[in-house]
Amino acid sequence: MELLGPRHHRIVRITTLIATRRAGRRENEAVPDGSSTCSLLRPAFPAAVTRKTLQLITPLLLCASSLWAQDTSSGVVASDSVPLAARAQWPGDSYVGSRAALAFELSRPLGSGERFALIIGSTDVSAAVHVRDRRAEYEPAALRLPPGETEAVAYIVSAEGTWSEIGRAPLRVRTRSGFDRTTTSPSADLSSSGQLNQYVAAGDPPPDRKAYQDLTLRLGLSNTLARDGWDIGFTSNAIGVTQETQRLRYGEQQSEAAPIDLADYRLQVSRGPVKIALGNVAVGANRYLLSGYGSRGATAALQLNRAVSIEASAVNGTNVVGWDNMLGVSESDHRLISTSVNLEVLPSRPGALHVDLSALDGSLMPRSGFTQGAVTDAERSRGFGVQFGMSDPKQWVRLTGGVTQSRFRNPSDVLLNGDTSVVAVRTESRQARYGELGVQLLRDVRVFDSTRASVSATVRHERVDPLYRSVGAYVQGDMQQDGGDLMATIGALAVQGTLTHGRDNLAGIPSILTTRTRRRALSFAAPLSGLLGLAPRSWLPVATFAWEGTGQEGEGIPTNSDFSATHVPNQFNRVRSASVTWSPARLNVSYRWNESLQDNRQIGRDRADFLATVHAVSLGLNGIPRLTPSLEGSVERQDNMEAGTQQRTSRIGTIVQAQISNSLAFSGNLAHTWSFDPFADRRSRNLELQGELSQGFTLYRRVDGGTQGRVFVRYARTRAAFFPLIPDPSVIPQLMWTINAGSSFRLF
């Protein structure tokens, strides 16, 4: 027993104790007559004999187990022959620092001659790995862990040099700045557009600038950061222009407009269900209250659960650019504040029943945006709306609709009133509503052997009360429209029909003219080869046809007005068009016909009708390397039914595009036009020529390839002659030509 270690002595004591207790229980048990076979087979040795026997046998068993584990020349199984596995000791779904220690837990210690190897990404770091018993650890001291998402693969290298993979794990490493992910994409483009020379005919006013070159600089920055569930995104764009009248805020500041100005920016921060955005944002999804309103401001969204989300926003009343007023919501009298609640009634099936609740409180001061004219008076509106959408699981039936109420206040403006007595405008509350029902009547139903058909129908209703107004959406008030669409596909044939009826003066005010509008349209498109079951590239063409008729008619003569029957409008407009296109292997031929009729049915003007007809043919060649030529011709007639005259215009032209080399391209066109205008008592002939040569070049080598720079020279020449109906040899054609040049450089 002295040959055994302390661990073996503990095993012997535990084994002896268990045997003693079992033997004690057997001595107290009575074995009745007729005991079972199992009971009779129980050992009947005394407890003392059992304890002594176990004390002698247990050391022998332990010694045999120890000898079995030894690697001897007699062929006994060795420990290093057991398969080795390595398990990563870091969380694979989260990020670690670039200096974080990586550890693997081994299923057994390394055997004789075995070596542990570690590959991170594409780098072998085995020399820096420390193995202690069943733990292999790597500390990146001289070389940081590669940022981003890679893999760490562990290998066992045998004494013979054989590598065997024993484990791998995903590795996500933060950047040196401490973020999980970060991307930065700056951009800078410099372009020039100008004119080298210009010639105008004698007697015409000279140009303001005969030769010039304007520069435009565009700067952009896009940056994303992420760490521990936080996501931050930032984008911005600035524009610099040398030409004063083309600067961003020239219409607002004239000569004081900055040469380089901020066009837009956006900062977005999100974490889990929360998302916040600052800068240039687009808000609103209610068509009558606030719909896609773009301006500078702030938005916040919270996804409470799968069924409920809340959004809030505050934006400037007009589109804002420039370096000042960065947030855009500091002025309470020139601001739109909105909130919305989005509900998914059945979260398990999004779209089954979706409800949007929206509210708006907005005010617009009398000022202009950088692309629009001035607002003549201050406006304020408050409103709320409900929109919903529902559908069945297979989208056979879809229903959308909504109701909005807006309270609009348009205060009196002394600049508009002047010295005229006007009726004060009251604050009004008005409503708007819409509904749309779509039904799939047939879906992929076989009608012939290999022909399938689908048919769907949609009905619509929309009504906007008189005097309805919202500062967040442009809506035409005092209008009701009802209509529907029918769409069908039968094999390769597609057919669509539309019918719409509308009217205004919904309040029925007798002194206001009521106008009714009706629109009908029908169109179809079909490849004839598909209808006949032939190959797609057969000689048969693709045909299209469209018909549209729109009629507007005044209803009665308004009372207390200066209207008479001849003032009540009544007009019907009809447009018909058809086209046929052939596309063989290297040829593209098309014919297009268009006819538009303006039929005046107004009393006293029933002959004031106009009919315009256009016939056009085009021919193009395909498959020619680096060259794409085409030829076009058209004839247009305009008939004045009331005057009994006809104006004709004929045109023929050609377009050529050639890729001379990989970076050198040419494009040009030549067109000759003849016209006859009896109403103006003249004929005209016009010849137009234009050609452009552009050369691209590489400023520096980039991964995405392509050219970073391009310069072009463009020449345009026009020769126009106007003759009276009776030839006059003294008429001199007018000539004008220009030479333009420009360039564009993508700096980075």
Side-chain angles (χ1 to χ4, degrees):
M1 295 293 294
E2 297 299 332
L3 297 176
L4 302 178
R7 179 186 174 197
H8 293 172
H9 283 292
R10 287 195 299 269
I11 295 176
V12 172
R13 288 197 297 269
I14 293 173
T15 306
T16 304
L17 179 60
I18 294 174
T20 302
R21 292 182 177 178
R22 289 183 176 177
R25 286 197 300 269
R26 291 193 186 97
E27 291 177 354
N28 296 329
E29 292 178 355
V31 182
D33 296 336
S35 300
S36 64
T37 308
C38 294
S39 299
L40 296 176
L41 292 177
R42 290 178 182 173
F45 299 104
V49 177
T50 304
R51 285 196 300 271
K52 184 174 292 187
T53 304
L54 289 174
Q55 289 177 357
L56 294 176
I57 295 176
T58 301
L60 297 177
L61 295 175
L62 294 175
C63 291
S65 176
S66 178
L67 293 174
W68 178 262
Q70 295 178 1
D71 184 11
T72 62
S73 59
S74 60
V76 181
V77 178
S79 61
D80 56 3
S81 64
V82 178
L84 179 62
R87 186 175 61 181
Q89 298 300 294
W90 67 87
D93 56 349
S94 60
Y95 283 79
V96 298
S98 59
R99 294 291 190 184
L102 305 181
F104 282 90
E105 181 184 356
L106 306 180
S107 60
R108 63 169 175 81
L110 297 179
S112 176
E114 292 180 333
R115 180 171 61 88
F116 182 85
L118 179 61
I119 305 295
I120 298 179
S122 59
T123 306
D124 187 354
V125 297
S126 306
V129 176
H130 301 281
V131 181
R132 298 181 183 87
D133 194 24
R134 296 174 57 186
R135 181 179 178 87
E137 186 171 337
Y138 167 67
E139 294 185 1
L143 186 65
R144 293 175 179 265
L145 297 176
E149 298 186 5
T150 56
E151 270 192 329
V153 185
Y155 295 89
I156 184 69
V157 184
S158 65
E160 293 78 12
T162 303
W163 288 54
S164 301
E165 181 180 331
I166 59 175
R168 68 171 55 218
L171 178 61
R172 299 181 177 182
V173 182
R174 295 192 179 100
T175 62
R176 288 194 176 188
S177 55
F179 292 97
D180 296 346
R181 298 184 308 276
T182 177
T183 59
T184 302
S185 300
S187 63
D189 298 331
L190 179 63
S191 61
S192 65
S193 178
Q195 186 171 274
L196 301 181
N197 200 357
Q198 181 179 6
Y199 172 81
V200 295
D204 291 346
D208 295 335
R209 296 190 299 167
K210 188 175 181 180
Y212 61 90
Q213 200 68 217
D214 297 331
L215 300 179
T216 301
L217 176 64
R218 295 177 176 85
L219 302 175
L221 177 63
S222 177
N223 198 346
T224 60
L225 303 172
R227 169 146 187 190
D228 296 335
W230 289 89
D231 289 298
I232 303 175
F234 177 78
T235 58
S236 64
N237 294 281
I239 298 178
V241 183
T242 58
Q243 176 61 20
E244 184 179 282
T245 58
Q246 297 179 2
R247 294 173 182 174
L248 280 180
R249 289 190 285 177
Y250 177 80
E252 180 183 349
Q253 299 179 348
Q254 285 75 43
S255 60
E256 297 181 0
I260 299 180
D261 222 340
L262 180 65
D264 61 81
Y265 85 96
R266 180 183 175 91
L267 174 63
Q268 181 171 302
V269 181
S270 62
R271 177 177 172 83
V274 181
K275 181 182 296 184
I276 300 174
L278 304 175
N280 291 80
V281 295
V283 298
N286 188 296
R287 65 165 69 184
Y288 301 125
L289 198 63
L290 186 68
S291 178
Y293 195 93
S295 185
R296 189 173 290 182
T299 64
L302 174 62
Q303 187 74 39
L304 295 178
N305 49 47
R306 295 175 57 192
V308 182
S309 64
I310 302 175
E311 298 180 5
S313 65
V315 296
N316 194 276
T318 51
N319 201 351
V320 179
V321 295
W323 303 103
D324 52 352
N325 196 11
M326 293 295 291
L327 194 57
V329 295
S330 57
E331 299 178 81
S332 60
D333 291 335
H334 196 62
R335 183 174 63 194
L336 304 181
I337 299 177
S338 65
T339 57
S340 64
V341 179
N342 307 314
L343 305 175
E344 284 288 350
V345 181
L346 298 176
S348 59
R349 189 169 69 84
L353 178 56
H354 182 84
V355 181
D356 294 332
L357 308 176
S358 304
L360 171 68
D361 184 1
S363 175
L364 298 182
M365 293 293 292
R367 65 184 59 174
S368 62
F370 79 105
T371 59
Q372 63 188 48
V375 179
T376 56
D377 56 356
E379 302 172 334
R380 178 181 294 273
S381 69
R382 293 181 178 179
F384 63 90
V386 179
Q387 294 185 150
F388 69 90
M390 61 178 65
S391 64
D392 66 296
K394 295 186 178 181
Q395 300 292 311
W396 284 93
V397 180
R398 303 174 305 278
L399 177 63
T400 59
V403 178
T404 303
Q405 178 169 311
S406 178
R407 182 177 177 85
F408 178 73
R409 180 174 65 87
N410 188 7
S412 177
D413 191 338
V414 295
L415 297 178
L416 291 178
N417 298 341
D419 56 356
T420 305
S421 299
V422 297
V423 178
V425 180
R426 299 179 301 178
T427 300
E428 300 286 352
S429 294
R430 292 292 185 266
Q431 290 186 351
R433 66 174 184 262
Y434 78 96
E436 184 174 308
L437 174 64
V439 179
Q440 189 76 35
L441 303 176
L442 299 175
R443 178 181 293 171
D444 202 23
V445 177
R446 179 176 295 178
V447 293
F448 299 110
D449 293 339
S450 59
T451 304
R452 296 183 176 273
S454 297
V455 180
S456 63
T458 304
V459 293
R460 297 182 302 273
H461 166 75
E462 181 179 12
R463 177 188 171 96
V464 183
D465 287 346
L467 303 179
Y468 179 92
R469 179 77 166 90
S470 174
V471 296
Y474 175 76
V475 180
Q476 181 180 356
D478 196 14
M479 177 63 66
Q480 177 174 328
Q481 290 186 348
D482 301 284
D485 299 329
L486 183 65
M487 292 169 287
T489 58
I490 305 174
L493 176 64
V495 183
Q496 180 175 355
T498 302
L499 179 63
T500 303
H501 289 274
R503 60 160 295 185
D504 55 9
N505 192 19
L506 301 181
I509 300 176
S511 59
I512 297 179
L513 176 66
T514 300
T515 305
R516 296 186 178 273
T517 304
R518 61 188 184 277
R519 176 180 176 271
R520 292 165 290 175
L522 176 66
S523 64
F524 74 83
L528 300 183
S529 59
L531 293 179
L532 300 178
L534 301 178
R537 286 189 170 273
S538 66
W539 58 272
L540 292 176
V542 176
T544 64
F545 176 81
W547 179 92
E548 180 179 348
T550 303
Q552 284 190 325
E553 181 180 0
E555 189 177 86
I557 301 175
T559 59
N560 299 326
S561 66
D562 294 333
F563 273 45
S564 64
T566 58
H567 297 148
V568 178
N570 187 356
Q571 180 175 301
F572 177 76
N573 296 331
R574 184 193 67 200
V575 178
R576 296 185 295 181
S577 62
S579 67
V580 182
T581 304
W582 290 269
S583 298
R586 293 196 173 186
L587 190 64
N588 188 359
V589 182
S590 66
Y591 166 76
R592 177 176 56 88
W593 169 77
N594 179 272
E595 181 190 78
S596 60
L597 171 66
Q598 179 179 315
D599 183 7
N600 283 300
R601 302 174 180 178
Q602 183 178 343
I603 296 177
R605 297 204 60 196
D606 53 346
R607 289 288 300 167
D609 301 336
F610 299 91
L611 177 65
T613 307
V614 178
H615 299 270
V617 179
S618 65
L619 172 64
L621 298 179
N622 303 322
I624 302 177
R626 298 181 179 271
L627 182 64
T628 307
S630 63
L631 182 66
E632 299 177 346
S634 64
V635 177
E636 179 180 354
R637 296 197 312 267
Q638 294 185 356
D639 296 296
N640 188 331
M641 305 297 187
E642 188 175 24
T645 60
Q646 184 182 86
Q647 180 182 352
R648 297 189 302 272
T649 302
S650 302
R651 180 182 182 275
I652 185 171
T654 180
I655 300 175
V656 177
Q657 294 181 347
Q659 191 70 37
I660 302 174
S661 65
N662 293 334
S663 57
L664 181 62
F666 171 80
S667 64
N669 62 76
L670 176 65
H672 198 179
T673 305
W674 303 267
S675 66
F676 169 72
D677 189 355
F679 187 79
D681 191 21
R682 71 177 184 181
R683 299 174 183 269
S684 64
R685 185 169 64 245
N686 190 22
L687 180 63
E688 297 178 356
L689 173 65
Q690 181 174 316
E692 177 179 309
L693 187 66
S694 62
Q695 171 69 51
F697 55 90
T698 302
L699 296 174
Y700 54 91
R701 186 173 297 277
R702 287 184 51 145
V703 176
D704 57 359
T707 58
Q708 288 82 45
R710 181 167 290 273
V711 295
F712 72 89
V713 177
R714 183 185 304 120
Y715 173 77
R717 185 177 185 271
T718 302
R719 186 178 184 272
F722 302 94
F723 306 95
L725 295 182
I726 300 176
D728 186 357
S730 63
V731 175
I732 301 176
Q734 296 181 355
L735 178 65
M736 184 182 71
W737 55 262
T738 58
I739 300 178
N740 298 89
S743 61
S744 62
F745 301 93
R746 185 178 59 182
L747 303 180
F748 54 84

